[in-house]
């Protein structure tokens, strides 16, 4: 595959490969139909996993021999789904040739049986009684049913039937009909004269859905399940879906809500433009999705499309160009005119890859056969009775554009939906429909947000942008989202601010400048929009004067903040923490890969990043030396020639499995025969696979190969891999070298681009169940909005307009912060949110299992030597069961982080005067730490608090 699978996908692939081999072997032995159920929630990448499985079956892996003659039939209930799946094969599967993927066409497909080595895409709509595929004609010798039956009859030992039940956009009779057709392949059909398929692999978002397909059958069923938690932890999906709706009986003004959606979209453009520019990524180009009403009479839509486009252009201050707005209306594939702009039709499955597209108009055609991670904002003119369509669409919008969680800016991990014709009850129905249609538990948090309120506050360490007061004719700011929205690169825009607008260039540009200039007065800035969002949403008719007043008040607040917000340099503190190399941990319930694979990936990353250019070369040479040492040892013991003979006679005591999961010799000793070059190459490929498929055999050949014995190096590698003790030594070496490289270069990872850091973190997490990482703060975070919160100016992250963070703390938490604020060396503090992607995590053991602790507070104080020092504080009730485990975890963390200032477990106690105060046990003190690590009971920990605990001075 051209893409690296995520850990949960790798685990699913490994399980799938084993289960499919077992299923095919079971059918081969008993001729009983077999079913493999692959269940994974929305966003899990089921198609990518299945494509990887097909590649492994075609080309073999370390456990199973290749099966190049395998035939795959891929059945879904939608031509769009087939097209999307086929497109993913073409783009992502590098070992599958274009000609191997065949769409079964009613017009041209006519074969006695399916050809070996191909993947056939078929959908239920082509299998109806009215379809040409199911009938004989002058131009058709075989019906599709005859093709399938003939293939089962003659090629059942390498036929795999895949049912893609993952996206069910159909409802009512259409869904029932599709299910009936799918069941024919599982149960067989006397009417169509086809037997049950030998091996069926079912892909579904919910186990119950696929179980309904296989109920009342005699098939043996194997199950592979991906949980929502696994997908959530991967970063493949956006963290939140926020649904904004009018509150109560508020007046419905869809165009006012559309303006709010345009503000949100423009805001996303600004954040993505800054992030991609700073991280040196290609621009994401987020898309605004508009779901419009069906048309009546001759109208294409009852929604005023012209007015929609005008409002959006006025709101964001640009004029769109041809190709930037497309439609996906099912009733026509022709271009339509909207507000003087030609809007072309776009095939849903190809929208995501067209980076020129800014806005997509649709009715119902995007509910299936479509995935668009760039869809960041959606506005629907549909009414509450259309909840099903909206729910299906949201399931297509939750994937992240960069296939990773964005740590630098948390606002880029959301998708926002605006529903002007829904109330709170209708929004709940959307959520219910989304859960039902996507498998019961979608791995993304969903929030309803009334237009008069906010669910989340955006906090940052960055200073507010200064108003430049420049006219629209001035040189364009390269960070301005309008540049990227208009489709122009910054340098082009600076050379020619006139652009290429539709209509008369001069008059329309002049008009655009007027709109843009007026919009500078009217529209709140990106960050100000967040502050005044509830005002904007609730306003049915936006008044220019009101906006100007609000803008003036905002400027006054900014000026006041500029004068008083000199408490500390937030960005400098963030940089200090990120450069400090503090440890944070990732705790997994399972280890996804062996140390050899993890070592090879880490060595490649260190080489490519420039941190250690010789890393992969050194690892390859070390393993080659191990192979050579084994060969020399065999020669010294006079065993080498005997084992070479066994290799050449194909009697070496190593098991190479076939596609059915059986050993190639069925574990029997064959009569002696001389292996062919093909047999030797097959053994060598199997050995290379066990060495990680990283070309180690060829490195060994360069170092120790004999030109007089061209195949000798292959035999050496085969002998090494066949020896269990050698492989154990190799894996011991891999484990030790992996940890050594991680410890040596972990600190330096802080200096590389985020993309490299993400790869590094994933590799390290795959290697160990409990893995070390560098703790890094993002620049922008989102926190739940607390109406009853307290205003804090000394929190590191604040609203960049007000300079305040509104946070709701409980009694103990607020008391601890109040004590810290009184210290002379206190600078600021951070609330460490539980389970946030960026949060500092400390592992601890409880009842034999590894758990995760997220200390409540990170405190930053001044230090005369380093400038700053970081403390970790955890107010914790002594009645909780986890006290001893957390104390030990904190003590071990302090041992591994000698640069930490304080790491304290805090309880309520009484001082000498009998006053209630917070008593602190500081694990940064070596004497305390050692005693905590030796404590065996909670009573011993309580005694330590009495003897070693202290009150802040």
């Amino acid at each position: 595959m051209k893409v690296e699978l995520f850990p949960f996908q790798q685990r699913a692939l490994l399980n799938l490969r084993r289960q499919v081999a077992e299923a095919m072997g079971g059918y081969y032995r008993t001729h009983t139909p077999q079913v493999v159920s692959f269940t994974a929630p929305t966003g899990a990448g089921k198609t990518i996993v299945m494509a990887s499985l097909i590649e492994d079956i075609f080309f073999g892996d370390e456990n199973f021999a290749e099966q190049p003659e395998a035939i795959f039939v891929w059945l879904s209930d939608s031509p769009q789904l087939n097209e999307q799946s086929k497109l993913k094969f073409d783009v992502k599967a590098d070992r599958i040739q274009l000609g191997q993927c065949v769409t079964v066409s009613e017009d041209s497909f006519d074969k006695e049986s399916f050809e070996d080595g191909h993947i056939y895409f078929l959908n239920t709509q082509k299998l109806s009684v009215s379809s040409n595929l199911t009938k004989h004609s002058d131009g058709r010798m075989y019906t599709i049913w005859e093709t399938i039956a003939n293939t089962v009859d003659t090629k059942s030992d390498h036929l795999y039937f895949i049912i893609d039940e993952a996206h069910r956009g159909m409802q009512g009779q259409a869904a029932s009909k599709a299910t009936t057709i799918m069941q024919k392949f599982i149960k067989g059909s006397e009417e169509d004269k086809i037997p049950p398929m030998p091996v069926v692999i079912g892909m579904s978002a919910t186990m119950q859905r696929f179980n309904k397909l296989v109920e009342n059958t005699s098939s043996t069923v194997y199950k592979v399940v991906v949980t929502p938690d696994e997908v959530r932890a991967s970063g493949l999906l956006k963290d939140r879906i926020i649904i904004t709706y009018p509150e109560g009986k508020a007046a419905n003004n869809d165009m006012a809500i559309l303006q709010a959606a345009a503000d949100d979209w423009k805001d996303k453009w600004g954040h993505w433009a800054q992030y991609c520019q700073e991280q040196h990524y290609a621009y994401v180009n987020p898309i605004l999705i508009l779901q419009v009403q069906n048309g009546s009479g001759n109208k294409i839509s009852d929604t005023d499309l012209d007015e929609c486009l005008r409002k959006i252009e006025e709101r964001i201050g640009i004029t769109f160009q041809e190709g930037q707005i497309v439609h996906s209306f099912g009733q026509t594939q022709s271009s339509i005119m909207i507000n003087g702009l030609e809007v072309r039709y776009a095939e849903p499955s190809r929208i995501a890859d067209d980076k020129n597209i800014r806005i997509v108009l649709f009715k119902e055609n995007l509910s299936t056969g479509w995935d668009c991670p760039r869809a960041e904002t959606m506005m629907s003119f549909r009414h509450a009775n259309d909840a099903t369509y909206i729910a299906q669409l949201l399931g297509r919008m939750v994937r992240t554009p960069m296939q990773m969680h964005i740590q630098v800016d948390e606002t880029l991990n959301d998708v926002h939906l605006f529903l002007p014709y829904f109330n709170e009850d209708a929004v709940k129905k959307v959520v219910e429909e989304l859960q039902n249609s996507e498998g019961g538990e979608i791995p993304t948090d969903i929030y309803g947000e009334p237009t008069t309120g906010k669910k989340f506050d955006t906090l940052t360490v960055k200073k507010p942008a200064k108003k430049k007061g420049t006219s629209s004719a001035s040189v364009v700011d390269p960070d301005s989202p309008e540049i990227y929205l208009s489709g122009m690169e910054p340098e082009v825009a600076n050379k020619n601010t006139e652009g290429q607008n539709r209509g008369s260039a001069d008059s329309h540009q002049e008009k655009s400048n007027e709109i843009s200039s007026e919009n500078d007065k009217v529209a709140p800035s990106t960050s100000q929009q967040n502050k005044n969002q509830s005002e904007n949403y609730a306003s049915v008719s936006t008044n220019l004067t009101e906006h100007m007043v609000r803008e003036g008040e905002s400027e006054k607040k900014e000026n006041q903040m500029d004068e008083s917000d000199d408490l500390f340099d937030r960005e400098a503190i963030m940089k200090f923490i990120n450069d400090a190399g503090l440890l944070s941990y990732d705790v997994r319930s399972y280890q996804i890969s062996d140390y050899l694979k993890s070592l090879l990936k880490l060595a490649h990353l260190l080489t490519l990043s420039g941190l250690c250019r010789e890393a992969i070369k050194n690892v390859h040479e070390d393993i080659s030396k191990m192979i050579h040492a084994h060969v020399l040892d065999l020669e010294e013991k006079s065993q080498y020639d005997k084992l070479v003979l066994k290799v050449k006679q194909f009697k070496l005591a190593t098991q190479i499995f076939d596609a059915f999961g059986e050993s190639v010799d069925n574990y029997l000793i064959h009569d002696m025969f001389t292996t062919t070059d093909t047999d030797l190459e097959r053994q060598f490929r199997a050995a290379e696979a066990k060495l990680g498929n990283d070309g180690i055999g060829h490195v060994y050949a360069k170092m120790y190969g004999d030109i007089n014995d061209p195949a000798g190096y292959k035999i050496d590698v085969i002998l090494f891999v066949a020896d269990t003790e050698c492989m154990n030594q190799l894996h011991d070496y891999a484990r030790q070298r992996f940890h050594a490289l991680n410890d040596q270069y972990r600190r330096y990872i802080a200096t590389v681009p985020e993309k490299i850091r993400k790869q590094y973190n994933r590799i390290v997490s795959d290697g160990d169940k409990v893995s070390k990482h560098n703790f890094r703060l993002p620049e922008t975070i989102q926190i739940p909005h607390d109406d009853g919160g307290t205003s804090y100016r000394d929190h590191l992250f604040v609203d960049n307009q007000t300079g305040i963070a509104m946070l709701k703390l409980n009694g103990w938490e607020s008391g601890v912060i109040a004590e810290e604020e009184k210290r002379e060396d206190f600078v600021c503090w951070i609330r460490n949110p539980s389970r946030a992607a960026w949060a500092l995590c400390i592992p601890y053991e409880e009842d034999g299992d590894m758990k995760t602790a997220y200390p409540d507070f990170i405190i930053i104080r001044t230090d005369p030597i380093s400038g700053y020092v970081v403390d970790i504080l955890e107010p914790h009730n002594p009645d909780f069961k986890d006290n001893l485990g957390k104390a030990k975890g904190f003590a071990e963390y302090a041992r591994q982080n000698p640069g930490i200032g304080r790491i304290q477990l805090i309880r309520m106690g009484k001082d000498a005067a009998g006053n209630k105060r917070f008593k602190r046990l500081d694990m940064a003190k070596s004497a305390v730490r050692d005693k905590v690590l030796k404590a065996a009971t909670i009573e011993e920990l309580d005694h330590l608090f009495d003897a070693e605990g202290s009150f802040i001075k």
Side-chain angles (χ1 to χ4, degrees), residues 239-342:
D239 290 344
R240 291 175 289 269
I241 297 173
I242 301 174
I243 304 176
T244 296
Y245 58 91
E247 189 171 28
K249 297 181 179 180
N252 253 322
N253 189 315
D254 48 18
M255 289 302 164
I257 302 291
L258 177 61
Q259 288 179 332
D263 288 344
D264 180 83
W265 180 49
K266 181 180 177 181
D267 184 39
K268 279 294 180 74
W269 267 96
H271 282 266
W272 273 118
Q274 178 180 346
Y275 174 80
C276 293
Q277 186 178 55
E278 291 177 351
Q279 300 298 327
H280 307 291
Y281 287 129
Y283 288 100
V284 165
N285 298 351
I287 290 176
L288 172 63
I289 305 293
L290 295 183
Q291 186 180 37
V292 301
Q293 295 172 315
N294 290 329
S296 58
N298 295 325
K299 291 194 296 185
I300 193 76
S301 171
D302 285 345
T303 302
D304 190 339
L305 303 182
D306 292 342
E307 179 66 8
C308 287
L309 182 52
R310 280 194 295 270
K311 288 293 185 184
I312 295 172
E313 289 186 332
E314 290 173 5
R315 198 67 180 179
I316 65 177
I318 70 163
T319 303
F320 289 106
Q321 303 171 32
E322 187 175 327
Q324 293 182 333
I325 303 180
V326 299
H327 77 87
S328 186
F329 298 153
Q331 70 268 41
T332 178
Q333 295 188 6
S334 301
S335 294
I336 59 177
M337 297 300 295
I338 301 179
N339 197 36
L341 179 68
E342 182 178 348

Side-chain angles (χ1 to χ4, degrees), residues 632-642:
L632 293 178
D633 184 60
L634 291 176
E635 289 176 344
E636 184 178 341
K637 295 177 181 178
S638 301
Q639 296 177 353
Y640 181 75
D641 291 337
K642 295 178 183 178

Side-chain angles (χ1 to χ4, degrees), residues 200-484:
V200 173
I201 308 169
M203 302 162 54
S204 182
T206 168
M207 190 177 296
Q208 291 77 11
R209 184 184 294 165
F210 191 75
N211 286 346
K212 187 174 182 180
L213 275 179
V214 299
E215 64 184 2
N216 301 321
T217 69
S218 60
S219 300
T220 303
V221 180
Y222 307 83
K223 296 178 181 178
V224 177
V225 179
V226 173
T227 67
D229 286 342
E230 291 177 278
V231 183
R232 182 188 294 267
S234 70
L236 263 177
L237 301 189
K238 292 161 185 166
D239 290 344
R240 291 175 289 269
I241 297 173
I242 301 174
I243 304 176
T244 296
Y245 58 91
E247 189 171 28
K249 297 181 179 180
N252 253 322
N253 189 315
D254 48 18
M255 289 302 164
I257 302 291
L258 177 61
Q259 288 179 332
D263 288 344
D264 180 83
W265 180 49
K266 181 180 177 181
D267 184 39
K268 279 294 180 74
W269 267 96
H271 282 266
W272 273 118
Q274 178 180 346
Y275 174 80
C276 293
Q277 186 178 55
E278 291 177 351
Q279 300 298 327
H280 307 291
Y281 287 129
Y283 288 100
V284 165
N285 298 351
I287 290 176
L288 172 63
I289 305 293
L290 295 183
Q291 186 180 37
V292 301
Q293 295 172 315
N294 290 329
S296 58
N298 295 325
K299 291 194 296 185
I300 193 76
S301 171
D302 285 345
T303 302
D304 190 339
L305 303 182
D306 292 342
E307 179 66 8
C308 287
L309 182 52
R310 280 194 295 270
K311 288 293 185 184
I312 295 172
E313 289 186 332
E314 290 173 5
R315 198 67 180 179
I316 65 177
I318 70 163
T319 303
F320 289 106
Q321 303 171 32
E322 187 175 327
Q324 293 182 333
I325 303 180
V326 299
H327 77 87
S328 186
F329 298 153
Q331 70 268 41
T332 178
Q333 295 188 6
S334 301
S335 294
I336 59 177
M337 297 300 295
I338 301 179
N339 197 36
L341 179 68
E342 182 178 348
V343 176
R344 65 177 174 84
Y345 172 82
E347 179 69 31
S349 62
R350 299 184 180 274
I351 290 173
D353 294 326
D354 189 340
K355 293 298 182 69
N356 190 43
I357 294 175
R358 303 294 192 266
I359 297 178
V360 177
L361 305 170
F362 84 105
K363 298 173 185 176
E364 301 165 7
N365 202 30
L366 298 186
S367 58
T368 59
W370 179 77
D371 281 312
C372 191
R374 292 195 291 123
E376 298 270 317
T377 305
M378 174 186 161
M379 161 78 176
S380 177
F381 288 89
R382 291 279 182 169
H383 290 258
N385 57 357
D386 294 323
T388 299
Y389 292 122
I390 293 173
Q392 291 165 2
L393 176 70
L394 279 177
R396 315 277 72 77
M397 294 173 62
V398 296
R399 289 164 176 79
T400 51
M402 306 186 80
Q403 291 194 314
M404 66 180 186
H405 183 276
I406 303 301
Q407 186 169 351
V408 175
D409 186 345
E410 283 201 319
T411 63
L412 300 180
N413 299 309
D414 295 341
V415 59
H416 207 142
L417 169 62
F418 294 83
L419 300 176
Y421 293 103
F422 280 60
N423 55 27
E424 185 175 4
D425 291 337
V427 168
K428 289 179 181 178
K429 186 177 180 182
V430 169
V431 175
E432 292 172 2
E433 289 285 350
L434 180 61
Q435 303 288 15
N436 292 336
S437 64
E438 297 301 331
E441 186 180 352
I442 187 170
T444 296
D445 294 325
I446 308 170
Y447 299 92
E449 177 184 271
T451 53
T452 54
K454 291 200 302 183
K455 276 291 181 183
F456 296 94
D457 292 328
T458 299
L459 307 181
T460 183
V461 299
K462 298 185 76 68
K463 296 178 181 178
K466 302 295 182 183
K467 289 186 173 10
K468 299 180 180 180
T470 56
S471 69
S472 57
S474 301
V475 175
V476 180
D477 180 0
D479 292 332
S480 174
E482 287 91 337
I483 297 305
Y484 307 101

Side-chain angles (χ1 to χ4, degrees), residues 500-534:
Q500 298 295 324
N501 298 316
R502 61 183 180 270
S504 169
D506 294 334
S507 62
H508 280 274
Q509 180 59 47
E510 191 173 323
K511 180 179 178 182
S512 179
N513 285 341
E514 290 173 1
I515 293 174
S516 179
S517 178
E518 197 68 19
N519 197 59
D520 287 341
K521 300 176 184 176
V522 176
S525 63
T526 296
S527 52
Q528 182 66 20
Q529 171 223 328
N530 292 332
K531 176 176 177 295
N532 290 327
Q533 197 173 42
S534 60

